[in-house]
Amino acid sequence: MKKIVIANRGEIAVRIMKTARKMGIKTVALYSTADRNAPHVQLADEAVCIGEAPSNQSYLVGSKIIQVAKELHADAIHPGYGFLSENADFAEEVAKNNLIFIGPKPNAIRVMGSKLAAKETVKSYDIPMVPGIDKAVTDIEKAKSIAIDIGFPILIKASAGGGGKGMRVVEEEKDLESQMQRAISEATSAFGDGSIFIEKYISSPRHIEIQVVADSHGNIIHLFERECSIQRRHQKVVEEAPSAILTPQLRSKMGEAAVQVARSCDYLGAGTVEFLLDEHHNFYFLEMNTRLQVEHPVTEMITGLDLVELQIRIARGEELSIQQNDIGINGHAFELRVYAEDPLNNFLPSVGNLEVYTIPSGPGIRVDDGFNEGMDIPIYYDPMLSKLITYGKSREEAILLMLKAIDNYKIEGVQTTLPFGKFVFNHEAFQSGKFDTHFVKKHYTPENIRSIEEEEAKIAALIAVKQYIEDQKIVRLPIH
């Protein structure tokens, strides 16, 4: 493998390029007209414009991406995450054109892309499931009888869903019909598939995911867990590895279950198996993400492994050089997703120009980003600017380092989730490890951040006044 086309943009494109370069592999950047001056374009060995700014005219046009790969004699395509990374048809087309898709086989993507098909596939592997039905339902009366059997509250979920779309919690029977119709309508418009299913709603869950890696020689290992319970609108904002609450026994049990999920769909490459953990530490299979996760750096920090390198080696047909017993957890890592969003205004996207953009640095601090100072934030894509990662020997050390790094991250021109991150890492519930996926709903309001910022402004003003008085004393000293 001498040349890879990276079918993505921003920080993940830069991240893949760094590993490819380290491995002596040339890279091709693809870019839309909005990303002409982006860092991933400048970093690549070659760069090709594939269309206008909207992703359906550029990053989502699989035929164009394959055409560029063939014209430039590339060997493989790395899809990153998002865009076409979990598109089985694209993976199939890549293979048909004698190119290597750096990811799983199309069938694994297809099966795990449907929550219902995924449940059906892993059923025979004795994986714990949330009580519910594993068939699509549209009939209201049937849904009512299922919900009564399971017991309220229940969760309505879109089979093809993700990112919280087509998802509804129903506390009482009287609300079932209206919520079901809303979920079906939302799922149809978001995914073109209105099929939904019903399961028991776990009221205080933690979101724990296990990183798995599988080669083409039958070897599958897990790289421990990531805690992803700090979420807004069902999307992760803070992740950590390892989890503060898993015992070695539970970790081993969940790791083995994740390996079995990967085995059930003949998985290849790096993937993530997601579980819900209830307040009694029972875990339930949620879904599998058949790609590299946004939060993969925290796993890299505690294991010392490069997941992109593993992906590339596996895609080249190499056997895994490590076994389960070779890997241990070393230290603790956090990731804060830095979004161009306004935490004081319901996390709405904040577009504008990065007038000031200075990243923190130092031992134990890593920033994966795809922007430079002076760049505009395009409105066409996900508003994530970067991922701020910190690593320490202990959880406490990594938290302190994160708070310091947030203070040293200077961004002006757009609102970001940095103040929200500071609120999370300072919060007693987070620091003690006693939190669940409802952390934001339970603890966060915009007023919290406003009061913190006002307090900090007061302290800064007092320090400035004190310094001014000290300076005046020096100025007034008589000269002898």
Side-chain angles (χ1 to χ4, degrees):
M1 200 183 283
K2 295 186 175 68
K3 192 190 283 188
I4 294 174
V5 167
I6 289 135
N8 219 297
R9 64 180 293 281
E11 66 85 15
I12 192 58
V14 171
R15 162 76 193 88
I16 295 161
M17 282 172 194
K18 285 178 177 173
T19 287
R21 179 172 283 181
K22 185 180 75 178
M23 296 175 76
I25 299 167
K26 286 190 158 49
T27 57
V28 178
L30 304 178
Y31 63 94
S32 72
T33 49
D35 284 335
R36 192 174 296 280
N37 301 313
H40 79 279
V41 176
Q42 293 154 18
L43 192 64
D45 296 290
E46 296 172 83
V48 178
C49 180
I50 50 161
E52 294 301 313
S55 49
N56 62 2
Q57 293 174 42
S58 48
Y59 299 108
L60 287 172
V61 187
S63 56
K64 215 179 271 188
I65 292 165
I66 291 167
Q67 185 189 335
V68 168
K70 288 169 77 173
E71 283 172 2
L72 296 181
H73 307 291
D75 307 292
I77 295 174
H78 195 309
Y81 56 72
F83 294 134
L84 294 169
S85 63
E86 292 178 286
N87 186 309
D89 294 342
F90 177 65
E92 219 156 49
E93 282 304 309
V94 170
K96 275 184 195 165
N97 282 276
N98 298 316
L99 292 159
I100 298 165
F101 180 77
I102 302 177
K105 296 167 191 167
N107 186 55
I109 299 173
R110 209 165 262 128
V111 165
M112 290 298 161
S114 160
K115 289 183 175 67
L116 290 175
K119 282 177 173 242
E120 189 60 40
T121 303
V122 305
K123 203 193 278 180
S124 57
Y125 283 78
D126 203 24
I127 310 292
M129 304 274 198
V130 177
I133 57 148
D134 50 11
K135 287 189 171 53
V137 61
T138 48
D139 181 77
I140 301 288
E141 289 310 312
K142 189 180 177 188
K144 273 182 189 168
S145 92
I146 291 161
I148 289 162
D149 282 350
I150 298 168
F152 287 91
I154 56 123
L155 186 63
I156 298 171
K157 291 169 91 172
S159 176
K165 291 186 176 71
M167 198 184 278
R168 289 283 184 281
V169 177
V170 185
E171 303 278 352
E172 298 175 52
E173 188 183 333
K174 66 178 175 63
D175 301 322
L176 183 65
E177 188 168 344
S178 63
Q179 293 292 10
M180 211 175 137
Q181 283 165 350
R182 278 187 196 167
I184 290 169
S185 152
E186 200 172 287
T188 305
S189 63
F191 313 111
D193 177 358
S195 57
I196 54 135
F197 63 103
I198 293 171
E199 63 186 29
K200 180 75 180 162
Y201 178 62
I202 309 291
S203 56
S204 298
R206 308 233 348 182
H207 188 134
I208 307 282
E209 60 187 30
I210 308 278
Q211 176 71 58
V212 292
V213 182
D215 66 19
S216 53
H217 303 271
N219 303 301
I220 309 174
I221 59 171
H222 71 83
L223 306 181
F224 312 112
E225 81 279 2
R226 294 185 288 256
E227 166 84 62
C228 306
S229 298
I230 306 293
Q231 305 178 359
R232 52 100 182 90
R233 297 198 298 270
H234 298 286
Q235 289 189 315
K236 305 160 191 169
V237 195
V238 173
E239 298 100 350
E240 68 179 293
S243 166
I245 59 157
L246 259 59
T247 61
Q249 292 80 6
L250 186 54
R251 178 173 291 122
S252 173
K253 218 169 157 186
M254 291 180 79
E256 187 45 45
V259 165
Q260 294 288 32
V261 170
R263 191 165 277 123
S264 77
C265 65
D266 190 24
Y267 200 75
L268 182 73
T272 295
V273 182
E274 308 209 348
F275 295 100
L276 283 183
L277 189 72
D278 71 17
E279 63 265 45
H280 307 296
H281 291 193
N282 300 307
F283 66 90
Y284 306 99
F285 171 69
L286 191 61
E287 63 182 340
M288 185 176 192
N289 292 129
T290 54
R291 54 172 165 79
L292 195 65
Q293 292 280 85
V294 175
E295 58 273 20
H296 76 273
V298 292
T299 297
E300 294 184 326
M301 301 302 262
I302 64 159
T303 60
L305 297 167
D306 181 330
L307 285 177
V308 175
E309 184 178 339
L310 286 175
Q311 283 187 302
I312 292 170
R313 290 192 181 283
I314 289 165
R316 289 200 300 212
E318 292 179 28
E319 192 167 353
L320 280 171
S321 60
I322 42 171
Q323 295 176 340
Q324 195 64 61
N325 294 338
D326 299 329
I327 314 152
I329 294 173
N330 181 21
H332 204 100
F334 287 103
E335 175 179 293
L336 170 64
R337 300 190 189 190
V338 183
Y339 286 100
E341 292 178 344
D342 187 355
L344 298 179
N345 188 15
N346 200 26
F347 295 96
L348 288 174
S350 171
V351 294
N353 181 274
L354 287 176
E355 294 158 17
V356 173
Y357 185 76
T358 310
I359 63 171
S361 61
I365 296 172
R366 165 177 164 180
V367 179
D368 284 16
D369 64 1
F371 285 93
N372 291 328
E373 191 168 280
M375 284 179 68
D376 289 325
I377 309 297
I379 57 168
Y380 306 97
Y381 317 114
D382 182 88
M384 191 169 75
L385 297 178
S386 71
K387 302 179 315 200
L388 174 58
I389 304 119
T390 60
Y391 171 82
K393 292 191 285 291
S394 66
R395 190 171 187 267
E396 294 70 26
E397 188 182 312
I399 285 175
L400 288 172
L401 196 52
M402 178 60 82
L403 287 166
K404 180 184 162 194
I406 290 170
D407 281 341
N408 291 328
Y409 207 144
K410 305 299 178 198
I411 300 177
E412 289 175 24
V414 294
Q415 299 299 318
T416 76
T417 49
L418 284 171
F420 171 74
K422 191 169 185 176
F423 168 79
V424 173
F425 282 90
N426 267 317
H427 201 282
E428 190 275 328
F430 184 79
Q431 292 191 353
S432 67
K434 294 173 184 161
F435 58 90
D436 57 28
T437 54
H438 303 308
F439 176 91
V440 172
K441 194 163 74 179
K442 281 180 187 168
H443 303 294
Y444 173 72
T445 64
E447 285 67 42
N448 295 136
I449 287 185
R450 282 197 191 97
S451 62
I452 290 167
E453 287 179 342
E454 281 166 14
E455 192 57 36
E456 284 179 349
K458 273 185 208 163
I459 292 166
L462 287 170
I463 291 168
V465 168
K466 189 178 178 222
Q467 189 60 49
Y468 174 76
I469 292 164
E470 292 298 317
D471 291 347
Q472 290 300 101
K473 280 181 192 169
I474 294 164
V475 170
R476 288 179 191 147
L477 280 175
I479 298 164
H480 294 293

mmCIF file of all heavy atoms in Angstrom, residues 299-314:
data_model
loop_
_atom_site.group_PDB
_atom_site.id
_atom_site.type_symbol
_atom_site.label_atom_id
_atom_site.label_comp_id
_atom_site.label_asym_id
_atom_site.label_seq_id
_atom_site.Cartn_x
_atom_site.Cartn_y
_atom_site.Cartn_z
ATOM 1 N N THR A 299 -8.361 5.884 23.823
ATOM 2 C CA THR A 299 -7.901 4.490 23.829
ATOM 3 C C THR A 299 -6.421 4.424 23.453
ATOM 4 O O THR A 299 -5.653 3.661 24.047
ATOM 5 C CB THR A 299 -8.756 3.650 22.849
ATOM 6 O OG1 THR A 299 -10.106 3.652 23.312
ATOM 7 C CG2 THR A 299 -8.259 2.219 22.755
ATOM 8 N N GLU A 300 -6.031 5.236 22.487
ATOM 9 C CA GLU A 300 -4.614 5.268 22.085
ATOM 10 C C GLU A 300 -3.727 5.698 23.254
ATOM 11 O O GLU A 300 -2.638 5.160 23.465
ATOM 12 C CB GLU A 300 -4.428 6.226 20.899
ATOM 13 C CG GLU A 300 -5.118 5.735 19.642
ATOM 14 C CD GLU A 300 -4.868 6.613 18.426
ATOM 15 O OE1 GLU A 300 -4.737 7.847 18.593
ATOM 16 O OE2 GLU A 300 -4.807 6.073 17.320
ATOM 17 N N MET A 301 -4.214 6.680 24.028
ATOM 18 C CA MET A 301 -3.409 7.212 25.131
ATOM 19 C C MET A 301 -3.172 6.167 26.223
ATOM 20 O O MET A 301 -2.088 6.097 26.789
ATOM 21 C CB MET A 301 -4.078 8.451 25.749
ATOM 22 C CG MET A 301 -4.315 9.595 24.794
ATOM 23 S SD MET A 301 -2.837 10.215 23.984
ATOM 24 C CE MET A 301 -2.440 11.629 24.984
ATOM 25 N N ILE A 302 -4.191 5.351 26.535
ATOM 26 C CA ILE A 302 -4.029 4.397 27.655
ATOM 27 C C ILE A 302 -3.431 3.055 27.228
ATOM 28 O O ILE A 302 -3.002 2.270 28.066
ATOM 29 C CB ILE A 302 -5.350 4.148 28.417
ATOM 30 C CG1 ILE A 302 -6.397 3.482 27.525
ATOM 31 C CG2 ILE A 302 -5.870 5.440 29.044
ATOM 32 C CD1 ILE A 302 -7.490 2.754 28.277
ATOM 33 N N THR A 303 -3.400 2.794 25.902
ATOM 34 C CA THR A 303 -2.829 1.517 25.436
ATOM 35 C C THR A 303 -1.488 1.694 24.722
ATOM 36 O O THR A 303 -0.737 0.736 24.565
ATOM 37 C CB THR A 303 -3.782 0.804 24.455
ATOM 38 O OG1 THR A 303 -4.010 1.660 23.321
ATOM 39 C CG2 THR A 303 -5.101 0.445 25.118
ATOM 40 N N GLY A 304 -1.206 2.942 24.270
ATOM 41 C CA GLY A 304 0.030 3.172 23.524
ATOM 42 C C GLY A 304 -0.036 2.674 22.087
ATOM 43 O O GLY A 304 0.979 2.585 21.404
ATOM 44 N N LEU A 305 -1.245 2.352 21.603
ATOM 45 C CA LEU A 305 -1.403 1.835 20.240
ATOM 46 C C LEU A 305 -1.917 2.928 19.309
ATOM 47 O O LEU A 305 -2.624 3.836 19.742
ATOM 48 C CB LEU A 305 -2.392 0.661 20.235
ATOM 49 C CG LEU A 305 -1.963 -0.580 21.033
ATOM 50 C CD1 LEU A 305 -3.141 -1.527 21.209
ATOM 51 C CD2 LEU A 305 -0.803 -1.297 20.353
ATOM 52 N N ASP A 306 -1.576 2.824 18.027
ATOM 53 C CA ASP A 306 -2.069 3.748 17.002
ATOM 54 C C ASP A 306 -3.171 3.009 16.240
ATOM 55 O O ASP A 306 -2.894 2.076 15.478
ATOM 56 C CB ASP A 306 -0.907 4.130 16.077
ATOM 57 C CG ASP A 306 -1.312 5.113 14.985
ATOM 58 O OD1 ASP A 306 -2.487 5.087 14.566
ATOM 59 O OD2 ASP A 306 -0.447 5.887 14.526
ATOM 60 N N LEU A 307 -4.421 3.406 16.453
ATOM 61 C CA LEU A 307 -5.544 2.679 15.848
ATOM 62 C C LEU A 307 -5.597 2.817 14.333
ATOM 63 O O LEU A 307 -6.014 1.894 13.634
ATOM 64 C CB LEU A 307 -6.864 3.141 16.467
ATOM 65 C CG LEU A 307 -7.142 2.624 17.880
ATOM 66 C CD1 LEU A 307 -8.437 3.193 18.432
ATOM 67 C CD2 LEU A 307 -7.196 1.118 17.915
ATOM 68 N N VAL A 308 -5.173 3.963 13.809
ATOM 69 C CA VAL A 308 -5.163 4.139 12.352
ATOM 70 C C VAL A 308 -4.109 3.214 11.733
ATOM 71 O O VAL A 308 -4.350 2.581 10.702
ATOM 72 C CB VAL A 308 -4.919 5.617 11.966
ATOM 73 C CG1 VAL A 308 -4.783 5.768 10.454
ATOM 74 C CG2 VAL A 308 -6.050 6.497 12.480
ATOM 75 N N GLU A 309 -2.976 3.091 12.405
ATOM 76 C CA GLU A 309 -1.935 2.170 11.920
ATOM 77 C C GLU A 309 -2.453 0.731 11.916
ATOM 78 O O GLU A 309 -2.227 -0.022 10.964
ATOM 79 C CB GLU A 309 -0.681 2.270 12.801
ATOM 80 C CG GLU A 309 0.459 1.410 12.286
ATOM 81 C CD GLU A 309 1.735 1.538 13.114
ATOM 82 O OE1 GLU A 309 1.902 2.541 13.823
ATOM 83 O OE2 GLU A 309 2.548 0.612 13.049
ATOM 84 N N LEU A 310 -3.169 0.354 12.977
ATOM 85 C CA LEU A 310 -3.743 -0.993 13.023
ATOM 86 C C LEU A 310 -4.728 -1.197 11.879
ATOM 87 O O LEU A 310 -4.750 -2.243 11.234
ATOM 88 C CB LEU A 310 -4.445 -1.230 14.365
ATOM 89 C CG LEU A 310 -3.556 -1.457 15.596
ATOM 90 C CD1 LEU A 310 -4.412 -1.549 16.862
ATOM 91 C CD2 LEU A 310 -2.722 -2.721 15.452
ATOM 92 N N GLN A 311 -5.562 -0.173 11.612
ATOM 93 C CA GLN A 311 -6.522 -0.259 10.500
ATOM 94 C C GLN A 311 -5.811 -0.514 9.170
ATOM 95 O O GLN A 311 -6.228 -1.370 8.385
ATOM 96 C CB GLN A 311 -7.299 1.055 10.371
ATOM 97 C CG GLN A 311 -8.413 1.268 11.384
ATOM 98 C CD GLN A 311 -9.209 2.516 11.027
ATOM 99 O OE1 GLN A 311 -8.656 3.615 10.938
ATOM 100 N NE2 GLN A 311 -10.495 2.361 10.803
ATOM 101 N N ILE A 312 -4.748 0.243 8.942
ATOM 102 C CA ILE A 312 -4.017 0.134 7.674
ATOM 103 C C ILE A 312 -3.338 -1.237 7.563
ATOM 104 O O ILE A 312 -3.387 -1.892 6.521
ATOM 105 C CB ILE A 312 -2.999 1.290 7.523
ATOM 106 C CG1 ILE A 312 -3.743 2.628 7.344
ATOM 107 C CG2 ILE A 312 -2.053 1.046 6.347
ATOM 108 C CD1 ILE A 312 -2.857 3.872 7.434
ATOM 109 N N ARG A 313 -2.715 -1.670 8.638
ATOM 110 C CA ARG A 313 -2.035 -2.981 8.620
ATOM 111 C C ARG A 313 -3.026 -4.114 8.356
ATOM 112 O O ARG A 313 -2.750 -5.045 7.597
ATOM 113 C CB ARG A 313 -1.283 -3.214 9.933
ATOM 114 C CG ARG A 313 -0.069 -2.316 10.104
ATOM 115 C CD ARG A 313 0.823 -2.744 11.258
ATOM 116 N NE ARG A 313 1.955 -1.844 11.391
ATOM 117 C CZ ARG A 313 3.033 -1.858 10.611
ATOM 118 N NH1 ARG A 313 3.111 -2.733 9.622
ATOM 119 N NH2 ARG A 313 4.018 -1.004 10.809
ATOM 120 N N ILE A 314 -4.180 -4.047 9.012
ATOM 121 C CA ILE A 314 -5.213 -5.082 8.812
ATOM 122 C C ILE A 314 -5.712 -5.054 7.367
ATOM 123 O O ILE A 314 -5.886 -6.104 6.740
ATOM 124 C CB ILE A 314 -6.371 -4.884 9.817
ATOM 125 C CG1 ILE A 314 -5.907 -5.262 11.226
ATOM 126 C CG2 ILE A 314 -7.595 -5.704 9.415
ATOM 127 C CD1 ILE A 314 -6.814 -4.775 12.345
#
